[in-house]
Every structure is written in C-alpha cells, then in structure tokens.
Amino acid sequence: MMRRLLSLVQKEFAQILRDKALLFILAWAFTGAIYTAGHGMSMEVKRFPTIIFDMSKGTASRELISRVQMPYFKVLSYIQREEEITEWLDSGRASMAIVIPPDFQRRINGREDAKIQVITDGTISMSATIATAYLAQIASSYSMEIMEKQGRFTRAAFENLPIIDERLRVEFNPNNLSSWFTSLLELLNMFTMVSLLLTAAALVREKEYGTLEQLLVSPARLGEIFISKIIPTIVIVLCLSILSIFLVLKPIFNVPIRGSLLLFYSIAAIYVFTMSSLGIAIATVARNLSQAMMIMLLILAPMLFLSGAWTPPEAMAPWMQWASHISPMRYFIDFGYSVLFKGNGIAYVWKDVAGIIIMGILLFSFSIWWFGKKTAS
Amino acid sequence: MHSRIYAIIRKETREIIRDPVYLGLAFAVPVLLMLLLGYGLSMDVKNIPVLFYDLDCSAGSREYMHSFTNSEYFRFAGLAGDYKEVEHAIRSGNIRVVIVIPPDFSRRLNKGRPAQVQFLLDGSFPMRAEIVKGYVSAINTQFNMRMVSQYLSLKGQSGNVVFPVSVEGRTWYNPSLESKNFIIPGLLVITLMFYPALLAALVVVREKESGTIFNLYCSPVSTPAIVFGKAVPYICLAFIDYLVIFFMSVFLFHVRFTGSFLLLSAGALLYIACTIGLGILISVISRTQIAAMLITFLGTMIPSFLFSGFMASITSQEITGQIISRFIPATYFMGMVRGIYLKGLGFNYYLWDLATLGLYASIIYSIAILSFRKRIG
C-alpha cells in the first residue's frame, strides 16, 4: 500500500516538475509577489495631495502652513479663489483643501479661538480620516507654541494642570510599518491560493484528459489517489514558504519572527492539506477547469478579503462573523499572525489549530463520499 | 473577412451556451461575490473592543472611562483584574486597545496635576492602529479641555480655555463618511478586473491542450480575427455582469449615484475590453491551463485589491507600488467610478481616463495578436 502511494506521489511530482513555467510562477508567487506587496503597498498616508487657501496671509498662517509638509502632505498649490477648491477636488487632483479664514491672525492675537477649515474628499474616506487627524495634531502643537509665546502658558505650567498625559504604545509593530503587515498577509494569501489552485487543477486535468478513469481502475484506492495529489502540494508550498520567510520577510522587511517556526510550519502543513482537500472537493464537483475556476473564485475572494486581516471581526455583521467560521483561512490568519508576529504559543492558538484540522477532515471525507457516490452510480 | 470573425464569435458563443453550468456560474458568481463582499467588507473603524485596567477605581476614573465607551468608536469589553489579563487580552487579539489607569489617577487630577494613562494598541493591522490613535487623542483632548476649564473656574479664573487653533473638518461627496459609499463602487471595479480576466483566461490555452487549436492554425482566419472573435462573446457576457452589479449597487446597497449611467457604462465597456484582453493575453502566452489559471489568479486578484487605489490612495504608495498600479487597468477606472458615483461629474472630466483605457486596450490586444503565432511546436 505504501509502495502504491509512493509511486502515485512520484508521478504527481514528475508532472509538476516537468512544467517549468509553472515552477517559475510558483517561485515568483512566494518571493516576487510578496516583495512587491510588502514594498509597494503602504497604508500609511503619505504625500496627501493638498491645496491651501490662505485668506489671512499673515505671519501666523504662514507659520502654520510651513508645518503642513512632507512626508505627510504634499502641497500642490496655493489657491486664490474659493471656486478653485471645487475644481481641484472634483478632478481628484487634490484630496484635501485647507482654508484659513481672513480673521485668523486677528483672532489669534486677540486670544480668541481661530478655526481653520479642512475639506476632504470623502470618496477615499479612510485616508481622509487619517490625514485630518495628522492635521489636528499639527494644529494642536502649533497652538501650544502660540500659547507659550503669548506667555499664557509655559511648558512647566502643564505640570500644574489636571490633564491626561497620554502614553501610547503600539504592540507588535511599534512603528506601524505596513510592510510587516502586508508581506506577512501576502505570504498567508499565497499559502491559501496556491494550495487550493494547484491541487484542484491537478485533479480536474485528469478528469478532462480522461486519465482519471485509468487511475480508478488501477488497484489504487480513492483516498490514495487524493492523497497523492495533496502531498506534492504540501511539499512544494512548504519549501517555497521557507524561501519566502528567509529570503524576503526576514532579510528585506525585517519582519520580526517572534514565535516558533517549527509550530508554524507543522500547522501550515496541515493547513495546506485542508486547502488542498477543498481543492479536491471542488474538483470532484466541477466538470472542467473553467467551471472549477468559477467555483474557486467564489470561494477564494470572500476567503481572502474577509479573512479578518482587512476587516476585523468586530466590524462585521453578526451573521458574517458566524459565517466566517467555516473559512479555514480565518483560522490560519489568526494562527499566522499570532505565532509569527505576536510570538504566541500553542496555548493561544489551539482553537485555530482545531478549526483547521476539523475543516480539513470534513472536506477530505466529503470529497471521498461525493466522488465515491458519483462513480458508483 | 467579416464573416470569418462572425463565425468565430458564433463558435465561441455556442461553446459558452453549451455548458449551462458554466453559463449559470458566470452570472451567479458576481452576484454572490457582491453580496458576500458588499455586506462583509466593512472598513468602518467602529465598536473597537477596549479593555480597561482601572487601578484607581474612583468616580474620576469611571468618568474618564465613560468618555471612551460613550463614543461610537469604542465598545466596553471588560475590566482587567491584573496585568496578566491585560497581556493575554492584547495577545489573543480579542481586544484592540487596553487602557491602563494608574492608582493615583484621580488624586493627581484633583490636585491639579497631570496623570499618566497608558494605552496599549494592537498593531497587527497598521491602518486600524493609526485611526485608533487619532480617536484616542481626540477623546483625550476633549477630556483635558473639560478638566482644565473646570479646574480654572474652581480657582476663580476664567473658566473658558481657548485653544488658539482648531481644525474644523468637512467632507465632501460622502458627508456621512459611510464606508459602503466608497467600498461598493470600488468592489465594482475590482470584480470587473479579475472576473472577466478569469472568464477569458482559458479560451486559447484550452484549445492548445486539447489540440483543437490546429484547426485554427490551418484555417484561413487571420490572427486578429481569432483574437477578437474569441473576445467579443466574453465582453458581452462580462458587460451583462457589469449591469447586474451596477443595479445591485444602486438598488440593493443604496449607494449614492449622482452621475451619468451612460458615461459609466461607456467606461465599463472599455474597461471590460481591457480585462478580457488581459485574460486572452495570458491564455495566448501560457502553454498549460494550470499555468494560465495560476497567472490569472495571482496576477489579478490581489494586485487589483492592493494597487488600484481601492484600499489606500496611490499617491501614498512607494515608487514600486506606483509603477505597478500603472500596469493595472483598475487604477484608471477607479477614480472614474468613484467620481461618477459620488461626485456626479460630466464627460469632460473623464476624457483622460477613457483615453487611457482605450490605449491600454489597444496595447493589450496588439500584444495578444503579436504573440499568437500560427505555428506548430
């Protein structure tokens, strides 16, 4: 029995290794794609395209404007007429307009409250929210300085005021680097996509060519045929992911790998098995690769985009939170960030591990049952 | 010549219609995707679960906690008993913010001195952490203002503390900052990027694998006729999908739509021509169906999500990201779609985008035609 399985696995390996283009794409997926995602995609708001309408034209407004600068803001123009705001924002060339009222200087000198108006483009509301917060920070530190200059306050006076002294620490990613987040996410995405696609395609191809019948009449059992499709995927994905951690994540992005790699890779192997079983299940249902692709897209897109990485569970509707429990990737994302990023041990992730294993067993048994039923009839 | 294109179109259409499962999926998949992602992909940073570690346990600290839990952004998720619980909460990922209130909190504030409050943020998703940071300091500022004016009026000074410069934010086009107003139009762009590419990715390579491509090789049909003949039925199919998605966005998701439907449809037609062309190009250059499938999935799904400006504006990206975004047709369509939906601008604002899409399409089809060689081996 072991011999039979071994020769089947050998055949699968030969088929994959023969396809040089395929190997190249796989290698790219785990290195180049992760590099471009981590390096190119930044979620920090930088160079936010801004225009300024300074109606006050005093020293105070100039001083304020000089603080609105790179890397957070890129001032594109100082406009002279109010209608220009509409033109810049409509055309999308600018996303923020800062309007300084004519009485700005006077109100500051008079120790009154001087308001600046900020108009943002709500079609990109997330970046706009962050950019407005940056500007509020600039305004408040400028305020402090004015108060100090006007002698209303000294720094020392803050020692004698009942205020909150905010000590903020961002855990796990103190500098809020999005390259850490994106590169790790892309690695976990690749685990998901490649395991599913590769295994499903390998089985569908045999169906399309009609070679599956040959395997079925051979002494090999159904479970063995499926396992022989899954093992090469596990080996290839694991090897490639080792490459990506040691060639891309660690040396290029300095992603801190805080947890145990042994734990990560052993559970990752099970995860590849689970996703491959999903691929097998799809392949048993689909008649050709076009159909299989549609079904895989339908499963992959929600899985990747609703994995919990972009959309935290607390932002989801309750039924969606519940539904997300059938996605193996949800468990894997939790597990991956928890172990690699936060350095957690098995005590924190056993639920995720259980989820991955249970989904894998269910999917694999479903495939055997469904396929057996179809070939028997 | 015309009858030859027509013959290819008829043959392709018949092939699509003959596979009713495929045809059914071709319509069902985008609908289901929009439903799942449209309801699931909520980027609102609201109801963030916050854990308090209150070492003070006084009326003052309770009032301070209320200033957080009363806002729609934070949700009270419990009180920690000891520091180990704090550590565990942030590691487990169930809690996004921990606020540690020191034992001398109200004593210091009552004496008119600053009190240190520690904030621990979960940094596993940097963009969320950045937004949470902004919320925290906004709430603290408000609390401080209240405390200081109370304190000063107690001391008999003018109770009105005027902060010299403050920012008054306004958002155009999406005043309520509802995330669905920018997510759903964005999803339209993204779905119409990878979905048509996927529909068309196998059209040529499938014939290569089954060998029927030789019929085309030795027929008198010219290469452009083959490429366009294969593209047209899929463009029609994808355009119907566009209509379905559009009507879902307006009538099911109630996204504000202020622009011209005709203009949007014209843009969509060009855009779909691009993405179908992308699929055909992949199909022409790959040798096996598996390779074509992997290239399409890996090359369109995640990049369109990351680099089209859907998540974060392109101006914030590093140079690598900006270059990649130029190669993705979604980038050119994204601004247009959001503009038409929310800004309601006319034709002349999008001339440039339409021209770029047209140019993109002609380049893609030219490359596809040039790489389609009628040769054996």
Side-chain angles (χ1 to χ4, degrees), chain A residues 19 22 25-26 29 36-37 39-47 49 85-86 89-90 92 112-127 130 134 139-140 142-144 146-147 152 158-173 176-178 181 186 189-190 193 197 201 205 208-209 288-291 293-294 296-298 300-302 304-306 309-315 319-320 342-344 348, chain B residues 19 21-22 25 29 32-33 36-37 39-44 47 49 64 88 90-91 93 96 105 109 112-131 133 136-137 140 143-144 147-148 151 162-174 177 182 194-195 198-199 202 206 209 288-291 293-295 297-298 301-302 305-307 311-313 315-318 320-321 324 338 342-343 345 349:
Chain A
D19 194 342
L22 181 68
I25 299 163
L26 289 175
T36 51
H39 188 73
M41 169 66 186
S42 111
M43 278 167 295
E44 292 117 47
V45 174
K46 278 185 232 153
R47 294 176 287 275
I85 300 177
T86 324
L89 262 74
D90 271 357
E112 285 172 83
D113 167 22
K115 274 200 166 73
I116 56 171
Q117 212 180 62
V118 176
I119 302 167
T120 46
D121 181 348
T123 59
I124 44 165
S125 55
M126 271 214 288
S127 314
I130 295 179
Y134 287 163
S140 82
Y142 183 49
S143 293
M144 294 292 174
I146 292 175
M147 282 152 84
R152 286 152 72 185
F158 278 101
E159 285 301 303
N160 293 312
L161 276 179
I163 52 169
I164 305 295
D165 177 7
E166 169 185 308
R167 296 290 157 103
L168 218 124
R169 202 169 77 205
V170 180
E171 296 273 324
F172 316 121
N173 191 352
N176 246 342
L177 297 172
S178 57
F181 168 78
E186 189 76 346
N189 283 343
M190 286 309 164
M193 293 178 93
L197 298 173
R205 182 176 50 195
E208 279 190 302
Y209 282 3
N288 51 44
L289 197 59
S290 312
Q291 285 182 10
M293 274 172 79
M294 298 275 140
M296 285 193 283
L297 174 69
L298 188 56
L300 263 182
L304 294 174
F305 300 142
L306 305 180
W310 302 107
T311 52
E314 66 258 19
W319 65 273
M320 206 73 204
K342 303 182 182 171
N344 289 341
Y348 281 91
Chain B
D19 189 346
V21 179
Y22 176 80
L25 283 172
V29 169
L32 289 168
L33 275 185
L36 281 167
L37 295 180
Y39 284 116
L41 202 63
S42 161
M43 299 286 171
D44 293 324
N47 294 324
Y64 180 64
H88 176 80
I90 202 101
R91 272 177 173 270
R96 304 291 175 196
F105 179 81
L109 287 185
R113 303 183 62 79
Q116 264 185 25
V117 177
Q118 207 186 9
F119 295 84
L120 298 175
L121 265 60
D122 179 359
S124 43
F125 182 22
M127 201 162 188
R128 183 180 50 220
E130 198 63 44
I131 293 179
K133 248 174 154 174
V136 165
S137 60
N140 275 338
F143 186 81
N144 285 346
M147 290 300 291
V148 170
Y151 175 73
V162 178
F163 221 53
V165 183
S166 60
V167 172
E168 189 186 57
R170 267 207 289 163
T171 316
W172 280 6
Y173 315 122
N174 183 14
L177 277 178
F182 82 97
F194 55 70
Y195 193 62
L198 223 66
L199 282 174
L202 298 182
R206 188 168 49 207
E209 271 197 7
T288 57
Q289 290 195 67
I290 298 192
M293 178 189 78
L294 271 175
I295 297 178
F297 267 107
L298 300 176
M301 247 174 119
I302 303 222
F305 192 76
L306 291 183
F307 295 113
M311 290 296 298
S313 51
T315 45
S316 303
Q317 304 311 320
E318 297 303 324
T320 332
I324 297 171
R338 285 185 174 157
L342 298 171
K343 297 182 183 173
L345 303 175
Y349 274 93

Side-chain angles (χ1 to χ4, degrees), chain B residues 139-328:
Chain B
I139 289 179
N140 275 338
T141 311
Q142 257 181 15
F143 186 81
N144 285 346
M145 301 266 256
R146 212 171 52 232
M147 290 300 291
V148 170
S149 20
Q150 265 174 25
Y151 175 73
L152 290 185
S153 62
L154 265 177
K155 277 175 63 176
Q157 295 176 14
S158 119
N160 230 341
V161 191
V162 178
F163 221 53
V165 183
S166 60
V167 172
E168 189 186 57
R170 267 207 289 163
T171 316
W172 280 6
Y173 315 122
N174 183 14
S176 49
L177 277 178
E178 269 182 289
S179 70
K180 73 163 192 215
N181 278 340
F182 82 97
I183 282 183
I184 306 282
L187 276 178
L188 176 105
V189 177
I190 287 181
T191 314
L192 289 179
M193 161 102 193
F194 55 70
Y195 193 62
L198 223 66
L199 282 174
L202 298 182
V203 273
V204 178
V205 72
R206 188 168 49 207
E207 300 211 28
K208 280 191 209 167
E209 271 197 7
S210 64
T212 51
I213 194 90
F214 293 108
N215 298 339
L216 286 176
Y217 284 168
C218 44
S219 73
V221 189
S222 64
T223 328
I226 296 175
V227 169
F228 288 123
K230 282 182 175 295
V232 168
Y234 287 95
I235 292 179
C236 295
L237 192 62
F239 192 74
I240 300 173
D241 284 330
Y242 150 74
L243 292 175
V244 172
I245 295 175
F246 172 77
F247 286 114
M248 281 177 82
S249 75
V250 174
F251 295 110
L252 186 70
F253 292 107
H254 302 289
V255 177
R256 248 158 62 109
F257 185 77
T258 51
S260 144
F261 171 66
L262 271 180
L263 179 58
L264 185 69
S265 303
L269 192 60
L270 266 179
Y271 177 60
I272 287 169
C274 290
T275 52
I276 290 280
L278 216 54
I280 289 186
L281 175 62
I282 292 172
S283 203
V284 167
I285 57 172
S286 26
R287 286 172 157 220
T288 57
Q289 290 195 67
I290 298 192
M293 178 189 78
L294 271 175
I295 297 178
T296 321
F297 267 107
L298 300 176
T300 60
M301 247 174 119
I302 303 222
S304 68
F305 192 76
L306 291 183
F307 295 113
S308 63
F310 176 59
M311 290 296 298
S313 51
I314 295 161
T315 45
S316 303
Q317 304 311 320
E318 297 303 324
I319 190 76
T320 332
Q322 299 211 10
I323 291 172
I324 297 171
S325 72
R326 293 287 144 219
F327 284 94
I328 299 175

